[in-house]
Amino acid sequence: MSAVQSINNTSVLLGAQQWLPFTPNRDFLADPKLFASASRQYYYDTHGRSILDASSGLFTTPAGHGRKEIAEAVYTQLLQLDFCPSFTRAHAGSFALAERLTGMLPESLNHVFFVSSGSEAVDTAMKVCIAYQRARKEHSRTLFVSRERAYHGVNLGGTALSGIVNNRRTFGSMVSGVVHMRHTWLPEQRMQLGQPTVGVELADDLLRLIELHGAENIAACVVEPIAGSTGVLVPPVGYLERLRELCTKHGILLVFDEVITGFGRTGEAFAAQSFGVVPDIVTMAKALTNGAIPMAAVAVSDTVYRTIVESAPDGVIEFFHGYTWSGHPVACAAALATQNIYANEDLFARGRELSPYFLEQLRTLNDLPVVFDIRGYGLLAGIEVRSDGNPGRRGNLLQKRLFEKGLHLKATGDTAILAPPMIFTHEDVERMVALLRSVLCALD
C-alpha cells in the first residue's frame, strides 16, 4: 500500500522502493510519518506541524537541529577539499579532530581511528582487540564477552556481540567466539532513577565466564556503560568498577561502547568520566557531528596503540584495516564545528544542570497504572510500559500516538526512550512530560 504526501509543495508517491531500517514497512506505508524540516528542538512534518524532539533525533543531535555553524563548515570544506583518501595519505583536519577528541577523553586514551558509523566502530574495536592480543603473543585470546540486552550495532561483529534477541533471531550468531554475561536489570531496581543501589554482584558474571573459558582465551569485555537501545539499563553502583578490576587482573581489554552515551549525554564528555572508570578502548559516533554527517571513531589507550604499532617492522602496515571514508574531510569539518558548539555554549554543563529536573519530572509518571518502570541517568531515560501480552505492541502504539500529539521519541519493545537535546528548557521538559502523560493515560 502506498500513500501520497505533500513535501515542499511537491506530490511524492511513497511506495516500497525504499526499504526502511528497523521499521515495520507495511505499517509505515499505510500511515507514513514524514519529517520535512527541523530547527533547534523541533521537527516539522509535511503539514508544517511542530513535533518536539525528545530523542535528539536518534541520540545524534544534542545541540539541536539546523546549526548554521556546521552547515557553513561543511560547505567551506566541500569547496576546499571534498575528499582525501586515508590510505597512505591524510589531511590536517583529521589530525586536528583526533587531537580535539583525545583532549576530551579520559587520560591515556590518546589515539583515534576514524570510521563512518557506530557499527563500524564496534567491528573496528574488535579487530583492535585481536591485533593487540596477537601483538602480545597471546594468540589464544579470541573470545569476546558481551552482555544480554546489549546493542552494539548491526555489522557482523556487532550483531554477534548484541544481546537483543530480535536483532539476532533471524541471523544466528554471525560470528563465533562471543559469550554473554547477564544484563544488569533486577526487579528490585524498579523506579530507581540514577544508579541502582542493588546488583553490583552481576559484575561477577564476568568472573564466572573467566573461570568457565579461561582468561587466556578471552580478548575483551565489551559493554555499553549504560545499555541504551534496549531501554536504558543504568549500571548498579560499583558494577563498572568491578568489571575494570577483573579485566585488569586477567589481561582482558575493557571496551566501552559510547555511541549513545558519548558527548555529554551523562553530564561529562563521556560516561567513562561520569562513572570514574577508564576503559582501554572507547567507541563513539552519533553526536560526534551532531548527526549532520555520518562519522564515528575508536579511541584506544597508549598501551594498546604502542603494542600494535611497535610490533611491526619499519615501513610495514601495522593494522590491516580501514574504510574509504575513514577521516573524511567533510565529516571532520562537521565534527570540529560540532565540538566548537559544545564548548562555546557549555552544552555538557547545561545538560548536567537540566538532568535532575528532567528525571524528577519523569518520576511524576510513576502513578500511572500502565507504567511498569522508569529508569534514567543524565539526559537519558526509559519509560517501560506494561506489556499487554504482545511484546512491543504497546511500545509501537505509544510512539505512534505521541507523534500524532507532537512528540518524537525512540521506542524499543515496550520501552519509550528519551534523550532530549541539551538545549531543552524546563518548559520543554514540562511539555514533553505533559504529552507523555496524556498518551500514557489513554494507552490500551
Side-chain angles (χ1 to χ4, degrees), residues 214-241:
E216 70 278 9
N217 295 313
I218 301 175
C221 174
V222 184
V223 296
E224 301 159 274
I226 298 173
S229 288
T230 191
V232 187
L233 306 184
V234 182
V237 174
Y239 176 88
L240 294 175
E241 292 89 335

PDB file of all heavy atoms in Angstrom, residues 214-241:
ATOM      1  N   GLY A 214      38.490 -19.698  30.690  1.00  0.00           N
ATOM      2  CA  GLY A 214      39.912 -19.430  30.874  1.00  0.00           C
ATOM      3  C   GLY A 214      40.270 -18.032  30.415  1.00  0.00           C
ATOM      4  O   GLY A 214      39.998 -17.655  29.265  1.00  0.00           O
ATOM      5  N   ALA A 215      40.878 -17.267  31.300  1.00  0.00           N
ATOM      6  CA  ALA A 215      41.259 -15.898  30.953  1.00  0.00           C
ATOM      7  C   ALA A 215      42.180 -15.873  29.745  1.00  0.00           C
ATOM      8  O   ALA A 215      42.134 -14.929  28.936  1.00  0.00           O
ATOM      9  CB  ALA A 215      41.944 -15.226  32.142  1.00  0.00           C
ATOM     10  N   GLU A 216      42.985 -16.911  29.583  1.00  0.00           N
ATOM     11  CA  GLU A 216      43.951 -16.954  28.475  1.00  0.00           C
ATOM     12  C   GLU A 216      43.287 -17.035  27.105  1.00  0.00           C
ATOM     13  O   GLU A 216      43.952 -16.907  26.071  1.00  0.00           O
ATOM     14  CB  GLU A 216      44.913 -18.124  28.653  1.00  0.00           C
ATOM     15  CG  GLU A 216      44.317 -19.512  28.455  1.00  0.00           C
ATOM     16  CD  GLU A 216      43.583 -20.055  29.686  1.00  0.00           C
ATOM     17  OE1 GLU A 216      43.382 -19.301  30.658  1.00  0.00           O
ATOM     18  OE2 GLU A 216      43.227 -21.250  29.664  1.00  0.00           O
ATOM     19  N   ASN A 217      41.967 -17.237  27.089  1.00  0.00           N
ATOM     20  CA  ASN A 217      41.225 -17.329  25.826  1.00  0.00           C
ATOM     21  C   ASN A 217      40.344 -16.111  25.559  1.00  0.00           C
ATOM     22  O   ASN A 217      39.684 -16.046  24.520  1.00  0.00           O
ATOM     23  CB  ASN A 217      40.355 -18.588  25.821  1.00  0.00           C
ATOM     24  CG  ASN A 217      41.198 -19.849  25.856  1.00  0.00           C
ATOM     25  OD1 ASN A 217      42.159 -19.967  25.102  1.00  0.00           O
ATOM     26  ND2 ASN A 217      40.851 -20.779  26.730  1.00  0.00           N
ATOM     27  N   ILE A 218      40.312 -15.149  26.466  1.00  0.00           N
ATOM     28  CA  ILE A 218      39.398 -14.003  26.343  1.00  0.00           C
ATOM     29  C   ILE A 218      40.178 -12.766  25.926  1.00  0.00           C
ATOM     30  O   ILE A 218      41.127 -12.354  26.600  1.00  0.00           O
ATOM     31  CB  ILE A 218      38.655 -13.747  27.663  1.00  0.00           C
ATOM     32  CG1 ILE A 218      37.847 -14.993  28.060  1.00  0.00           C
ATOM     33  CG2 ILE A 218      37.738 -12.537  27.532  1.00  0.00           C
ATOM     34  CD1 ILE A 218      37.164 -14.876  29.410  1.00  0.00           C
ATOM     35  N   ALA A 219      39.756 -12.168  24.815  1.00  0.00           N
ATOM     36  CA  ALA A 219      40.414 -10.966  24.301  1.00  0.00           C
ATOM     37  C   ALA A 219      39.897  -9.710  24.977  1.00  0.00           C
ATOM     38  O   ALA A 219      40.671  -8.831  25.355  1.00  0.00           O
ATOM     39  CB  ALA A 219      40.203 -10.854  22.790  1.00  0.00           C
ATOM     40  N   ALA A 220      38.558  -9.602  25.123  1.00  0.00           N
ATOM     41  CA  ALA A 220      37.995  -8.337  25.604  1.00  0.00           C
ATOM     42  C   ALA A 220      36.597  -8.538  26.168  1.00  0.00           C
ATOM     43  O   ALA A 220      35.901  -9.504  25.842  1.00  0.00           O
ATOM     44  CB  ALA A 220      37.944  -7.316  24.467  1.00  0.00           C
ATOM     45  N   CYS A 221      36.230  -7.607  27.013  1.00  0.00           N
ATOM     46  CA  CYS A 221      34.866  -7.491  27.529  1.00  0.00           C
ATOM     47  C   CYS A 221      34.305  -6.185  26.976  1.00  0.00           C
ATOM     48  O   CYS A 221      34.886  -5.107  27.179  1.00  0.00           O
ATOM     49  CB  CYS A 221      34.877  -7.469  29.057  1.00  0.00           C
ATOM     50  SG  CYS A 221      33.259  -7.161  29.822  1.00  0.00           S
ATOM     51  N   VAL A 222      33.192  -6.267  26.260  1.00  0.00           N
ATOM     52  CA  VAL A 222      32.608  -5.109  25.576  1.00  0.00           C
ATOM     53  C   VAL A 222      31.252  -4.790  26.192  1.00  0.00           C
ATOM     54  O   VAL A 222      30.349  -5.638  26.187  1.00  0.00           O
ATOM     55  CB  VAL A 222      32.445  -5.378  24.067  1.00  0.00           C
ATOM     56  CG1 VAL A 222      31.941  -4.131  23.348  1.00  0.00           C
ATOM     57  CG2 VAL A 222      33.743  -5.869  23.453  1.00  0.00           C
ATOM     58  N   VAL A 223      31.103  -3.577  26.723  1.00  0.00           N
ATOM     59  CA  VAL A 223      29.832  -3.187  27.330  1.00  0.00           C
ATOM     60  C   VAL A 223      29.501  -1.735  26.981  1.00  0.00           C
ATOM     61  O   VAL A 223      30.392  -0.919  26.737  1.00  0.00           O
ATOM     62  CB  VAL A 223      29.852  -3.323  28.876  1.00  0.00           C
ATOM     63  CG1 VAL A 223      30.030  -4.769  29.296  1.00  0.00           C
ATOM     64  CG2 VAL A 223      30.923  -2.437  29.497  1.00  0.00           C
ATOM     65  N   GLU A 224      28.218  -1.442  26.965  1.00  0.00           N
ATOM     66  CA  GLU A 224      27.764  -0.051  26.983  1.00  0.00           C
ATOM     67  C   GLU A 224      27.771   0.391  28.449  1.00  0.00           C
ATOM     68  O   GLU A 224      27.234  -0.328  29.301  1.00  0.00           O
ATOM     69  CB  GLU A 224      26.346   0.059  26.454  1.00  0.00           C
ATOM     70  CG  GLU A 224      26.125  -0.450  25.037  1.00  0.00           C
ATOM     71  CD  GLU A 224      24.666  -0.770  24.794  1.00  0.00           C
ATOM     72  OE1 GLU A 224      24.250  -1.909  25.109  1.00  0.00           O
ATOM     73  OE2 GLU A 224      23.931   0.115  24.300  1.00  0.00           O
ATOM     74  N   PRO A 225      28.351   1.540  28.771  1.00  0.00           N
ATOM     75  CA  PRO A 225      28.286   1.996  30.170  1.00  0.00           C
ATOM     76  C   PRO A 225      26.844   2.056  30.667  1.00  0.00           C
ATOM     77  O   PRO A 225      26.555   1.648  31.798  1.00  0.00           O
ATOM     78  CB  PRO A 225      28.920   3.385  30.108  1.00  0.00           C
ATOM     79  CG  PRO A 225      29.816   3.344  28.920  1.00  0.00           C
ATOM     80  CD  PRO A 225      29.124   2.461  27.928  1.00  0.00           C
ATOM     81  N   ILE A 226      25.954   2.571  29.838  1.00  0.00           N
ATOM     82  CA  ILE A 226      24.510   2.463  30.051  1.00  0.00           C
ATOM     83  C   ILE A 226      23.957   1.748  28.834  1.00  0.00           C
ATOM     84  O   ILE A 226      24.167   2.194  27.703  1.00  0.00           O
ATOM     85  CB  ILE A 226      23.834   3.836  30.192  1.00  0.00           C
ATOM     86  CG1 ILE A 226      24.377   4.590  31.404  1.00  0.00           C
ATOM     87  CG2 ILE A 226      22.322   3.687  30.300  1.00  0.00           C
ATOM     88  CD1 ILE A 226      23.870   6.026  31.514  1.00  0.00           C
ATOM     89  N   ALA A 227      23.295   0.628  29.031  1.00  0.00           N
ATOM     90  CA  ALA A 227      22.702  -0.086  27.900  1.00  0.00           C
ATOM     91  C   ALA A 227      21.544   0.751  27.371  1.00  0.00           C
ATOM     92  O   ALA A 227      20.504   0.855  28.014  1.00  0.00           O
ATOM     93  CB  ALA A 227      22.230  -1.468  28.335  1.00  0.00           C
ATOM     94  N   GLY A 228      21.724   1.370  26.220  1.00  0.00           N
ATOM     95  CA  GLY A 228      20.788   2.387  25.753  1.00  0.00           C
ATOM     96  C   GLY A 228      19.631   1.874  24.946  1.00  0.00           C
ATOM     97  O   GLY A 228      18.468   2.004  25.338  1.00  0.00           O
ATOM     98  N   SER A 229      19.910   1.274  23.790  1.00  0.00           N
ATOM     99  CA  SER A 229      18.838   0.922  22.860  1.00  0.00           C
ATOM    100  C   SER A 229      17.899  -0.143  23.407  1.00  0.00           C
ATOM    101  O   SER A 229      16.767  -0.266  22.934  1.00  0.00           O
ATOM    102  CB  SER A 229      19.433   0.447  21.530  1.00  0.00           C
ATOM    103  OG  SER A 229      19.987   1.522  20.816  1.00  0.00           O
ATOM    104  N   THR A 230      18.343  -0.911  24.370  1.00  0.00           N
ATOM    105  CA  THR A 230      17.474  -1.936  24.953  1.00  0.00           C
ATOM    106  C   THR A 230      16.429  -1.353  25.890  1.00  0.00           C
ATOM    107  O   THR A 230      15.518  -2.051  26.316  1.00  0.00           O
ATOM    108  CB  THR A 230      18.313  -2.980  25.715  1.00  0.00           C
ATOM    109  OG1 THR A 230      17.493  -4.093  26.066  1.00  0.00           O
ATOM    110  CG2 THR A 230      18.917  -2.395  26.982  1.00  0.00           C
ATOM    111  N   GLY A 231      16.574  -0.060  26.258  1.00  0.00           N
ATOM    112  CA  GLY A 231      15.593   0.546  27.153  1.00  0.00           C
ATOM    113  C   GLY A 231      16.186   1.258  28.343  1.00  0.00           C
ATOM    114  O   GLY A 231      15.500   1.483  29.337  1.00  0.00           O
ATOM    115  N   VAL A 232      17.461   1.605  28.262  1.00  0.00           N
ATOM    116  CA  VAL A 232      18.178   2.380  29.277  1.00  0.00           C
ATOM    117  C   VAL A 232      18.315   1.585  30.588  1.00  0.00           C
ATOM    118  O   VAL A 232      17.532   1.731  31.526  1.00  0.00           O
ATOM    119  CB  VAL A 232      17.508   3.746  29.552  1.00  0.00           C
ATOM    120  CG1 VAL A 232      18.384   4.590  30.482  1.00  0.00           C
ATOM    121  CG2 VAL A 232      17.269   4.501  28.247  1.00  0.00           C
ATOM    122  N   LEU A 233      19.334   0.743  30.627  1.00  0.00           N
ATOM    123  CA  LEU A 233      19.667  -0.001  31.837  1.00  0.00           C
ATOM    124  C   LEU A 233      20.924   0.633  32.432  1.00  0.00           C
ATOM    125  O   LEU A 233      22.017   0.518  31.880  1.00  0.00           O
ATOM    126  CB  LEU A 233      19.915  -1.481  31.537  1.00  0.00           C
ATOM    127  CG  LEU A 233      18.809  -2.219  30.776  1.00  0.00           C
ATOM    128  CD1 LEU A 233      19.159  -3.702  30.649  1.00  0.00           C
ATOM    129  CD2 LEU A 233      17.459  -2.038  31.443  1.00  0.00           C
ATOM    130  N   VAL A 234      20.757   1.307  33.561  1.00  0.00           N
ATOM    131  CA  VAL A 234      21.847   2.028  34.210  1.00  0.00           C
ATOM    132  C   VAL A 234      22.634   1.045  35.078  1.00  0.00           C
ATOM    133  O   VAL A 234      22.038   0.251  35.805  1.00  0.00           O
ATOM    134  CB  VAL A 234      21.300   3.196  35.053  1.00  0.00           C
ATOM    135  CG1 VAL A 234      22.438   3.986  35.691  1.00  0.00           C
ATOM    136  CG2 VAL A 234      20.430   4.113  34.191  1.00  0.00           C
ATOM    137  N   PRO A 235      23.961   1.083  35.041  1.00  0.00           N
ATOM    138  CA  PRO A 235      24.735   0.113  35.815  1.00  0.00           C
ATOM    139  C   PRO A 235      24.605   0.348  37.315  1.00  0.00           C
ATOM    140  O   PRO A 235      24.594   1.496  37.770  1.00  0.00           O
ATOM    141  CB  PRO A 235      26.171   0.364  35.357  1.00  0.00           C
ATOM    142  CG  PRO A 235      26.185   1.805  34.958  1.00  0.00           C
ATOM    143  CD  PRO A 235      24.833   2.045  34.334  1.00  0.00           C
ATOM    144  N   PRO A 236      24.506  -0.700  38.105  1.00  0.00           N
ATOM    145  CA  PRO A 236      24.478  -0.539  39.558  1.00  0.00           C
ATOM    146  C   PRO A 236      25.753   0.103  40.083  1.00  0.00           C
ATOM    147  O   PRO A 236      26.807   0.027  39.448  1.00  0.00           O
ATOM    148  CB  PRO A 236      24.330  -1.984  40.077  1.00  0.00           C
ATOM    149  CG  PRO A 236      23.819  -2.767  38.921  1.00  0.00           C
ATOM    150  CD  PRO A 236      24.365  -2.118  37.700  1.00  0.00           C
ATOM    151  N   VAL A 237      25.655   0.721  41.216  1.00  0.00           N
ATOM    152  CA  VAL A 237      26.826   1.319  41.872  1.00  0.00           C
ATOM    153  C   VAL A 237      27.904   0.251  42.047  1.00  0.00           C
ATOM    154  O   VAL A 237      27.635  -0.835  42.570  1.00  0.00           O
ATOM    155  CB  VAL A 237      26.432   1.923  43.238  1.00  0.00           C
ATOM    156  CG1 VAL A 237      27.667   2.405  43.993  1.00  0.00           C
ATOM    157  CG2 VAL A 237      25.438   3.073  43.053  1.00  0.00           C
ATOM    158  N   GLY A 238      29.113   0.514  41.579  1.00  0.00           N
ATOM    159  CA  GLY A 238      30.235  -0.399  41.728  1.00  0.00           C
ATOM    160  C   GLY A 238      30.381  -1.415  40.614  1.00  0.00           C
ATOM    161  O   GLY A 238      31.401  -2.106  40.546  1.00  0.00           O
ATOM    162  N   TYR A 239      29.399  -1.522  39.725  1.00  0.00           N
ATOM    163  CA  TYR A 239      29.401  -2.560  38.686  1.00  0.00           C
ATOM    164  C   TYR A 239      30.547  -2.358  37.694  1.00  0.00           C
ATOM    165  O   TYR A 239      31.331  -3.275  37.429  1.00  0.00           O
ATOM    166  CB  TYR A 239      28.063  -2.551  37.958  1.00  0.00           C
ATOM    167  CG  TYR A 239      27.964  -3.508  36.801  1.00  0.00           C
ATOM    168  CD1 TYR A 239      27.549  -4.819  36.981  1.00  0.00           C
ATOM    169  CD2 TYR A 239      28.277  -3.093  35.499  1.00  0.00           C
ATOM    170  CE1 TYR A 239      27.460  -5.694  35.909  1.00  0.00           C
ATOM    171  CE2 TYR A 239      28.187  -3.960  34.424  1.00  0.00           C
ATOM    172  CZ  TYR A 239      27.779  -5.263  34.632  1.00  0.00           C
ATOM    173  OH  TYR A 239      27.694  -6.130  33.565  1.00  0.00           O
ATOM    174  N   LEU A 240      30.655  -1.158  37.113  1.00  0.00           N
ATOM    175  CA  LEU A 240      31.690  -0.907  36.120  1.00  0.00           C
ATOM    176  C   LEU A 240      33.083  -0.979  36.753  1.00  0.00           C
ATOM    177  O   LEU A 240      34.046  -1.434  36.116  1.00  0.00           O
ATOM    178  CB  LEU A 240      31.466   0.442  35.451  1.00  0.00           C
ATOM    179  CG  LEU A 240      30.200   0.561  34.596  1.00  0.00           C
ATOM    180  CD1 LEU A 240      30.026   1.985  34.078  1.00  0.00           C
ATOM    181  CD2 LEU A 240      30.211  -0.429  33.428  1.00  0.00           C
ATOM    182  N   GLU A 241      33.188  -0.523  37.995  1.00  0.00           N
ATOM    183  CA  GLU A 241      34.459  -0.617  38.700  1.00  0.00           C
ATOM    184  C   GLU A 241      34.909  -2.077  38.842  1.00  0.00           C
ATOM    185  O   GLU A 241      36.100  -2.384  38.695  1.00  0.00           O
ATOM    186  CB  GLU A 241      34.350   0.030  40.083  1.00  0.00           C
ATOM    187  CG  GLU A 241      34.165   1.536  40.056  1.00  0.00           C
ATOM    188  CD  GLU A 241      32.704   1.961  39.992  1.00  0.00           C
ATOM    189  OE1 GLU A 241      31.863   1.169  39.515  1.00  0.00           O
ATOM    190  OE2 GLU A 241      32.400   3.090  40.419  1.00  0.00           O
TER     191      GLU A 241
END
